[in-house]
């Protein structure tokens, strides 16, 4: 099979991320004697600088980690809703939904604390050694990728008219950054320098200084600036000016925490995911919905009309369950994951996949529970909607679907990490001038209607689409992978994983690059997780590389097919390790000319 690049192989270390500067920074840390966790932290902070349209320090990050010889853990870097963020508060403001932009949509920032906890507990290098890469790119500049300028252009009027601090940073010379133009963020560099200086004042010792940096973030000058921004009336996507309910107690009362992953065994593999405060279990449900004998058909089934039909219909069922059962809301009905992944339940759901496409949103009844959907979410349609119905559009007030970045690292000792940073986008909120980054908007993924698993609840996490992955053979973690893409993440990841699992190896190892390069698809036949929560029943977007015969076969089965450009679906990153030989592998997505793997 043709691949855009070789699958990298070596024995020293491998990195894959959605930006080449993050990948190379992580590799430099490995070369300097750091481990996978040191490298991931360095890359994570670099991503905050070089992909500001995809993530920022006030966003969030779920992290999956597998220490060599240890068990897989989840480190939750998803902040919670402030204590004053009740549905009643939003309704009293005349709102029916959480805005897609502005301070009212901000959860407690989670990413930075998660990176610092990861470094404290699993890293080996001092914080200042790892932050120097991000500081350098913020201070001296980095060549802007195309999508930064495109994102800025899409919200230019808002920035110029209302979010003037953002305009000063992202409209240098009055224009969006041109591809390749050096983009600097001196305020962000100064923020990290000051944080390091105040942490150093706590005295010697790696862990002591990391803990001091956490206090500065949650209680010191960073917290003061975050709160000031949160309480500045800001025009948001509702068309009105609002302030957040975020308080100092919210910032000091939350910290990143470890959790057990949810897992599922399929065809000799065990896949680990974060829990159902993410959409991660939907990946596992899709595996559970595969028909008996699917693996025996080999990789060819993934590019046949019948195989794609099964996968698309399985995704619809899993994501319908996500809508009815996933979330972190206090007191809401949440189906136990054991019930959602039970053999009997999966078999009953699998039987719903018929010969033609479904246009209905069909959540199940695990354990006999009755599913409940938010008011206004259509559970079924008698007739297919008109083409384009429900497509999210960019409004004049900055509401646009957010996106994400991703990184994976494996080191020579066998430590492995997979992380999906997101949120705090440049179009989320105005840039905080003294910090160089904006607040996030993750609360837009909650509902104001009471009694739903994703209802906005003070002190609880909004359900997120972020979904890093680890796969094991036996007790050994052998594969880390993930992708940006919002609601599409676990559809693209399923396609990739099945390709790795079913494709013939290259040079004795998994063909990561071949699986990444293979044509991909996604469906939007369920409510979007992002404001304004659009649905496009029956829709499938598939790359043109599937070929006309396959695309015709999908249409004949009733799917509303949009043919996407040949290289447009998915932005996978992946690293792997063979525990028997110690050979490491890596691949990265060529789509968008931005992701890169590095290693030796």
């Amino acid at each position: 099979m043709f691949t855009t690049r070789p699958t990298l192989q070596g024995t020293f270390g491998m990195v894959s991320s959605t930006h080449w500067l993050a990948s190379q920074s992580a590799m430099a840390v490995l070369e300097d004697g750091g481990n996978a966790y040191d490298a991931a932290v360095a890359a994570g902070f670099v991503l905050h600088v070089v992909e500001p349209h995809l993530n920022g320090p006030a966003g969030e990050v779920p992290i999956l980690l597998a220490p060599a010889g240890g068990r897989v853990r989840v480190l939750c870097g998803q902040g919670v809703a402030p204590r004053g963020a009740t549905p009643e508060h939003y309704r009293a403001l005349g709102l029916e939904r959480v805005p897609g932009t502005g301070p009212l949509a901000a959860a407690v920032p989670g990413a930075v604390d998660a990176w610092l906890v990861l470094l404290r507990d699993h890293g080996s290098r001092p914080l200042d050694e790892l932050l120097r890469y991000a500081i350098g790119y913020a201070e001296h500049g980095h060549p802007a990728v195309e999508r930064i300028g495109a994102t800025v252009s899409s919200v230019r009027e808002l920035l110029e008219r209302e979010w003037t601090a953002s305009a000063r940073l992202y409209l240098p010379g009055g224009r969006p950054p041109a591809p390749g133009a050096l983009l600097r963020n001196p305020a962000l560099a100064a923020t990290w320098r000051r944080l390091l200086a105040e942490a150093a004042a706590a005295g010697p010792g790696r862990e002591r200084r990391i803990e001091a940096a956490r206090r500065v973030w949650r209680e010191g000058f960073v917290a003061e600036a975050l709160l000031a921004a949160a309480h500045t009336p800001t025009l948001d996507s509702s068309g009105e000016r609002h302030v957040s309910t975020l308080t100092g107690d919210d910032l000091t009362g939350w910290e990143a925490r470890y959790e057990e992953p949810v897992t599922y065994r399929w065809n000799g593999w065990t896949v680990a995911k974060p829990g159902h405060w993410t959409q991660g279990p939907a990946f596992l449900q899709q595996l559970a919905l595969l028909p008996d004998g699917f693996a025996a058909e080999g990789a060819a089934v993934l590019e046949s009309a019948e195989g794609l039909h099964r996968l698309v219909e399985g995704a619809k069922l899993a994501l319908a369950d996500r809508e009815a059962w996933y979330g972190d809301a206090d007191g809401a009905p949440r189906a136990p994951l054991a019930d959602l992944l039970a053999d009997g339940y999966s078999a009953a759901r699998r039987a719903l996949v018929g010969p033609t496409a479904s246009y209905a949103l069909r959540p199940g009844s695990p354990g006999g529970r009755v599913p409940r959907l938010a008011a206004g979410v259509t559970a079924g349609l008698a007739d297919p909607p008109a083409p384009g119905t429900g497509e999210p559009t960019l409004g004049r007030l900055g509401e646009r679907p957010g996106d994400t970045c991703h990184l994976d690292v494996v080191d020579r000792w066998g430590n492995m990490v997979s992380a999906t940073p997101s949120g705090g986008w440049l179009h989320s909120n105005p840039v905080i001038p003294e910090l160089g980054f904006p607040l996030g908007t993750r609360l837009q993924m909650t509902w104001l209607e009471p009694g739903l698993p994703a209802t906005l609840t003070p002190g609880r996490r909004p359900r997120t689409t972020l979904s890093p992955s680890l796969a094991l053979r036996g007790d050994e973690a052998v594969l880390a992978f993930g992708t940006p893409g919002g609601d599409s993440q676990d559809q693209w990841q399923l396609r990739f994983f099945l390709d790795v699992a079913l494709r013939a190896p290259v040079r004795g190892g998994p063909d990561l690059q071949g699986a990444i390069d293979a044509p991909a698809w996604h469906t939007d036949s369920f409510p979007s997780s992002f404001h304004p929560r659009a649905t496009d029943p029956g829709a499938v977007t598939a790359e043109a590389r599937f070929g006309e015969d396959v695309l015709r076969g999908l249409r004949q089965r009733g799917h509303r097919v949009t043919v996407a450009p040949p290289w447009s679906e998915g932005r996978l990153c992946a690293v792997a390790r063979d525990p028997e030989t110690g050979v490491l592998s890596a691949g990265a997505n060529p789509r968008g000319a931005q992701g890169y793997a590095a290693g030796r």
Side-chain angles (χ1 to χ4, degrees):
M1 173 183 173
F2 166 80
T3 60
T4 58
R5 310 162 181 171
T7 293
L8 303 185
Q9 289 186 315
T11 57
F12 181 82
M14 291 284 165
V15 180
S16 180
S17 86
T18 48
H19 197 292
W20 65 86
L21 292 178
S23 296
Q24 188 53 45
S25 298
M27 195 64 206
V29 171
L30 295 179
E31 295 283 6
D32 199 36
N35 64 24
Y37 309 109
D38 299 316
V41 170
F45 279 96
V46 169
L47 288 172
H48 294 329
V49 178
V50 301
E51 293 192 320
H53 57 310
L54 303 180
N55 79 133
E60 46 276 327
V61 58
I63 303 171
L64 278 168
L65 57 145
R71 74 183 195 275
V72 176
R73 303 290 302 280
V74 177
L75 179 56
C76 172
Q78 173 58 64
V80 298
R83 297 176 190 181
T86 63
E88 292 76 19
H89 174 75
Y90 288 71
R91 291 192 182 280
L93 296 173
L95 298 171
E96 293 298 319
R97 292 176 177 168
V98 177
T101 62
L104 269 180
V108 174
V112 167
D113 196 60
W115 293 128
L116 295 179
V117 169
L118 180 68
L119 180 61
R120 180 197 67 190
D121 295 345
H122 299 279
S124 65
R125 313 304 287 181
L127 178 60
D128 58 344
E129 288 188 14
L130 305 181
L131 274 180
R132 64 190 176 98
Y133 303 95
I135 291 172
Y137 289 125
E139 192 166 61
H140 303 297
H142 59 93
V145 295
E146 287 80 356
R147 290 181 181 176
I148 294 178
T151 301
V152 173
S153 294
S154 69
V155 292
R156 178 173 183 167
E157 179 184 349
L158 174 67
L159 270 55
E160 291 179 327
R161 189 179 73 248
E162 294 284 343
W163 297 3
T164 54
S166 300
R168 287 192 294 272
L169 177 58
Y170 290 113
L171 289 166
R175 297 183 301 275
L182 282 183
L183 182 60
R184 297 178 174 88
N185 191 340
L188 180 56
T191 294
W192 297 142
R193 289 192 186 280
R194 182 176 174 184
L195 180 141
L196 290 173
E198 295 191 15
R206 195 183 73 90
E207 289 81 5
R208 177 183 294 177
R209 291 187 175 184
I210 293 170
E211 281 300 300
R214 294 181 70 209
R215 289 193 298 274
V216 172
W217 175 265
R218 294 157 63 192
E219 303 172 20
F221 80 93
V222 176
E224 292 173 2
L226 289 171
L227 291 172
H231 291 279
T232 299
T234 301
L235 183 69
D236 60 35
S237 60
S238 72
E240 303 292 335
R241 300 181 193 280
H242 295 112
V243 299
S244 174
T245 65
L246 188 71
T247 68
D249 288 342
D250 291 316
L251 295 177
T252 59
W254 181 87
E255 60 183 337
R257 70 188 192 199
Y258 291 100
E259 299 176 351
E260 295 300 313
V262 57
T263 62
Y264 185 77
R265 291 183 58 81
W266 180 82
N267 199 39
W269 295 79
T270 299
V271 181
K273 282 285 195 176
H276 60 4
W277 54 275
T278 74
Q279 71 172 353
F283 179 101
L284 307 183
Q285 284 196 256
Q286 289 176 88
L287 284 179
L289 290 169
L290 293 176
D292 293 340
F294 187 87
E297 297 184 47
V301 70
L302 304 175
E303 296 182 23
S304 69
E306 181 59 26
L308 262 65
H309 169 71
R310 295 183 214 163
L311 293 174
V312 169
E313 292 303 295
K316 292 176 185 178
L317 292 170
L319 289 161
D321 273 350
R322 182 197 71 172
E323 199 61 30
W325 301 113
Y326 293 18
D328 200 37
D330 192 17
R334 294 194 301 273
L337 290 172
D339 287 351
L340 288 166
L341 294 169
D343 290 344
Y345 179 73
S346 298
R349 299 286 281 162
R350 193 182 306 125
L352 296 177
V353 177
T356 58
S358 169
Y359 282 73
L361 187 68
R362 299 182 291 176
S365 300
R369 299 169 183 83
V370 178
R372 178 182 166 190
L373 299 170
V377 171
T378 303
L381 290 168
D383 299 302
T389 300
E391 291 289 342
T393 57
L394 177 66
R396 63 183 181 85
L397 299 176
E399 64 271 27
R400 60 173 285 137
D403 212 336
T404 304
C405 41
H406 186 81
L407 66 94
D408 300 303
V409 188
V410 60
D411 63 29
R412 62 190 185 273
W413 300 288
N415 301 302
M416 190 173 284
V417 60
S418 180
T420 309
S422 187
W425 309 300
L426 67 85
H427 53 285
S428 298
N429 266 292
V431 164
I432 304 168
E434 58 268 51
L435 297 182
F437 60 85
L439 288 164
T441 55
R442 192 56 63 174
L443 295 187
Q444 68 175 289
M445 305 178 88
T446 62
W447 296 96
L448 298 183
E449 182 179 339
L452 300 169
T455 294
L456 176 65
T457 307
R460 297 289 178 172
R461 295 166 290 190
R463 189 192 73 213
T464 177
T465 56
L466 308 178
S467 185
S469 305
L470 284 174
L472 298 83
R473 299 287 278 182
D475 295 327
E476 294 274 0
V478 299
L479 177 65
F481 59 100
T483 181
D487 292 309
S488 300
Q489 286 181 35
D490 282 306
Q491 301 178 61
W492 291 337
Q493 290 188 72
L494 180 75
R495 171 67 175 86
F496 163 81
F497 173 73
L498 292 174
D499 209 303
V500 169
L502 301 179
R503 183 185 295 275
V506 292
R507 297 187 299 275
D511 186 5
L512 300 183
Q513 196 62 49
I516 289 170
D517 287 355
W521 55 269
H522 79 274
T523 177
D524 295 306
S525 194
F526 49 85
S528 169
S529 295
F530 296 92
H531 182 91
R533 313 305 285 268
T535 305
D536 200 1
V540 177
T541 301
E543 288 182 341
R545 290 185 296 133
F546 277 110
E548 186 53 41
D549 287 347
V550 173
L551 299 174
R552 185 186 307 111
L554 288 176
R555 292 189 179 99
Q556 289 171 345
R557 289 165 174 81
H559 298 278
R560 296 174 52 245
V561 178
T562 296
V563 181
W567 295 91
S568 58
E569 288 287 302
R571 296 196 295 285
L572 267 296
C573 301
V575 300
R577 178 177 182 269
D578 186 330
E580 294 184 2
T581 65
V583 170
L584 311 177
S585 305
N589 173 57
R591 299 164 178 88
Q594 192 171 316
Y596 243 90
R600 69 173 179 88

